[in-house]
Amino acid sequence: MAVFGGATTLGSVSFSSHLFDQQSCFLSCPLRLLPSSSSSSSPSHRNPLLCIVKSFSSSATADTDRNSDQSASSSVLSASNSLLRDTSNDAAGPSDWKTAKAYCKSGDTFEGEVEGFNGGGLLIRFHSLVGFLPYPQLSPSRSCKEPQKSIHEIAKTLVGSKLPVKVVQADEENRKLILSEKLALWPKYSQNVSVGDVFTGRVGSVEDYGAFIHLRFDDGLYHLTGLVHVSEVSWDYVQDVRDVLRDGDEVRVIVTNIDKEKSRITLSIKQLEDDPLLETLDKVILKDSSSGSPSLSSNNGDTIEPLPGLETILEELLKEDGIEAVKINRQGFEKRVVSQDLQLWLSNTPPSDGKFVLLARAGRQVQEIHLTTFLEQGGIKKALQHVLERVP
């Protein structure tokens, strides 16, 4: 069962929440602002919705901070450490190590000549030292340009050429000099990327927590890589990313966050599609093909049992200043399961007689809640934030 990023586990209940807004920025947990989107290439036409998510699951989410191939490279680095002790590094003077450490600290780029390669990466000359560049730290344009070639065939063609690289690690004691072409090119191309930009990308690798996507620029080459977390692959529940995406697949993605300090880009596939949960319950519940009518039921005196976890939230919401009444008005069932988690959305439809519409969803079941208040939408969001801080 999916648990959204940033969740903290309380016993068997995992909790996280997100605020969907047109402003594309992130706040710290428990609430985050995410960019809204539409089926068009621009997300500006998408109505912002407040989404509160409460996950009834004991599973843990993958840390989205792993949005970097450096984590994917760690096993390569470990496996290749025994290959780094080039005799020239043993004989190198301390001045060259001092220079390497200075490059590592400053983040400056230098041109290094490829002298050879091995099973894990390239061997690149740095003054009297020989540095190691793991294959995952090559620019994605190398493999995407000639996808039919193996990484070792590509490495062979690079011998004798010069690559722009950054020093990632300069360990004089263990004679290890680790380099990256990907990080060297980051400043040049990341300055042309903004939150909300839409790219055509190619799946570079698929992990349990998501997929790394190489982004194609106007020159037709793939210069940067971003991560699509498993929760951003589809509005449908995705148990295994490999069931949806495979290496080499071409996809359209939207940029949802850029971490310049860590050189990481966060992407989404599903934000380019309409969320099946939109404005009102009538839009959510698909019409039955046989009867032609939505599968809805109204609260005409009969009590509708709240979704698990919803009753506590509504009780606490009534304790907030400005909230006068809450009532589950209708419920229905969707054709598909979007998420097993409990999600509470604040609709962006104009209030009627001082009533806002909240939509709660878990599995296929959706409930429409009428919220009577004199608060504006911003005040309702703050009230919900207060409630979420109290709900265990």
Side-chain angles (χ1 to χ4, degrees), residues 279-291:
E279 297 292 339
T280 66
L281 195 60
D282 301 279
K283 293 182 179 180
V284 176
I285 308 301
L286 299 177
K287 290 188 175 182
D288 184 88
S289 57
S290 58
S291 64

Side-chain angles (χ1 to χ4, degrees), residues 136-207:
Q137 289 303 313
L138 276 171
S139 166
S141 63
R142 306 287 181 187
S143 57
C144 291
K145 187 176 182 180
E146 298 178 291
Q148 74 282 1
K149 287 188 176 182
S150 69
I151 191 63
H152 297 101
E153 290 175 322
I154 294 173
K156 186 176 181 180
T157 65
L158 294 175
V159 174
S161 62
K162 289 188 175 183
L163 305 183
V165 294
K166 276 191 176 182
V167 177
V168 176
Q169 180 183 7
D171 186 348
E172 181 179 5
E173 182 179 354
N174 294 303
R175 296 296 190 265
K176 297 176 183 177
L177 183 62
I178 311 300
L179 310 172
S180 172
E181 181 188 29
K182 183 178 292 184
L183 293 179
L185 296 175
W186 166 267
K188 177 180 179 180
Y189 293 102
S190 64
Q191 65 182 351
N192 298 321
V193 180
S194 300
V195 170
D197 287 351
V198 176
F199 283 87
T200 296
R202 179 174 294 171
V203 178
S205 63
V206 180
E207 308 294 338

Side-chain angles (χ1 to χ4, degrees), residues 4 22 53 71 101 131 145 204 242 254 264 303 308 337 346 357:
F4 286 74
Q22 286 177 320
V53 183
S71 61
K101 292 175 183 178
K145 187 176 182 180
R242 297 168 185 83
I254 184 170
R264 296 174 180 176
T303 301
V337 174
L346 175 59
V357 174

Side-chain angles (χ1 to χ4, degrees), residues 113-151:
E113 183 175 346
V114 180
E115 294 196 342
F117 63 95
N118 55 38
L122 304 179
L123 304 177
I124 297 179
R125 173 63 59 181
F126 180 91
H127 299 292
S128 63
L129 305 174
V130 175
F132 179 71
L133 192 151
Y135 289 132
Q137 289 303 313
L138 276 171
S139 166
S141 63
R142 306 287 181 187
S143 57
C144 291
K145 187 176 182 180
E146 298 178 291
Q148 74 282 1
K149 287 188 176 182
S150 69
I151 191 63

